[in-house]
Amino acid sequence: MRPWHNLGRLRARRGDPGVIDIDEHPRPDTTAERLATLLPRAELHVADQRGVLATFDGPARAVRCACVLRDAVRELGIEIRAGLHTGEVEVLDDGLAGVAVHIGQRVLSEANPGEVLVSSTVKDLAVGSGLEFEDRGPHALKGVADEWRLFAVR
């Protein structure tokens, strides 16, 4: 079974609402293999109808997964955006909470379509991973103290 199988249908808006069955679009083996190595180490939480919150055992793995997903759906003509932050979270019966979750949401709100944007915390912890980042400067994140330096993944 391909890792994509469990994702079911991917909903996308293109003028009129439509549904794209991602099982009908073959994935390159390299994409499927990369996702297979990344997703088993992730815990997915449905955030709302617009997105998914995932936790990983390391920031570099989270960045790579976001990039693989972005590139895979781009082949379907869909641009997604991802915002990543790392920190302590509170595990609740119905999901996750805490300042780290809030910061991740605010980083996401600054990302452009097709972009994976990370906080300086993620960038700093990914040193030595081989990932490359482009400085997007300081940003005032709504509801978060101080300015946060954000970086786009190259």
Side-chain angles (χ1 to χ4, degrees), residues 1-69:
M1 178 165 56
R2 298 190 320 256
W4 289 97
H5 180 75
N6 290 334
L7 294 177
R9 294 183 169 274
L10 177 65
R11 297 192 179 281
R13 289 190 175 259
R14 291 192 201 161
D16 295 326
V19 175
I20 298 172
D21 186 345
I22 59 176
D23 287 334
E24 293 177 7
H25 297 272
R27 301 285 102 219
D29 288 340
T30 56
T31 299
E33 290 169 7
R34 290 183 70 196
L35 282 172
T37 63
L38 295 167
L39 289 177
R41 296 183 179 182
E43 186 174 330
L44 301 176
H45 309 270
V46 176
D48 58 30
Q49 295 174 342
R50 297 169 294 158
V52 173
L53 172 65
T55 57
F56 288 82
D57 61 356
R61 190 167 288 108
V63 171
R64 287 189 177 98
C65 186
C67 290
V68 169
L69 289 171

Side-chain angles (χ1 to χ4, degrees), residues 6-153:
N6 290 334
L7 294 177
R9 294 183 169 274
L10 177 65
R11 297 192 179 281
R13 289 190 175 259
R14 291 192 201 161
D16 295 326
V19 175
I20 298 172
D21 186 345
I22 59 176
D23 287 334
E24 293 177 7
H25 297 272
R27 301 285 102 219
D29 288 340
T30 56
T31 299
E33 290 169 7
R34 290 183 70 196
L35 282 172
T37 63
L38 295 167
L39 289 177
R41 296 183 179 182
E43 186 174 330
L44 301 176
H45 309 270
V46 176
D48 58 30
Q49 295 174 342
R50 297 169 294 158
V52 173
L53 172 65
T55 57
F56 288 82
D57 61 356
R61 190 167 288 108
V63 171
R64 287 189 177 98
C65 186
C67 290
V68 169
L69 289 171
R70 174 204 56 202
D71 296 344
V73 298
R74 183 175 281 155
E75 294 173 15
L76 302 174
I78 300 167
E79 293 288 344
I80 63 168
R81 55 197 181 108
L84 288 82
H85 179 65
T86 186
E88 296 295 321
V89 297
E90 183 180 353
V91 180
L92 306 173
D93 289 338
D94 61 346
L96 301 175
V99 174
V101 174
H102 181 74
I103 293 171
Q105 291 170 331
R106 296 306 179 199
V107 172
L108 171 63
S109 71
E110 297 292 329
N112 294 315
E115 185 172 55
V116 176
L117 202 61
V118 305
S119 68
S120 57
T121 308
V122 171
K123 178 194 169 285
D124 291 347
L125 291 172
V127 168
S129 67
L131 293 167
E132 295 182 7
F133 302 92
E134 180 179 315
D135 191 345
R136 290 297 167 88
H139 291 260
L141 304 178
K142 183 178 177 183
V144 181
D146 302 319
E147 287 190 327
W148 285 72
R149 193 161 217 84
L150 302 182
F151 297 84
V153 180

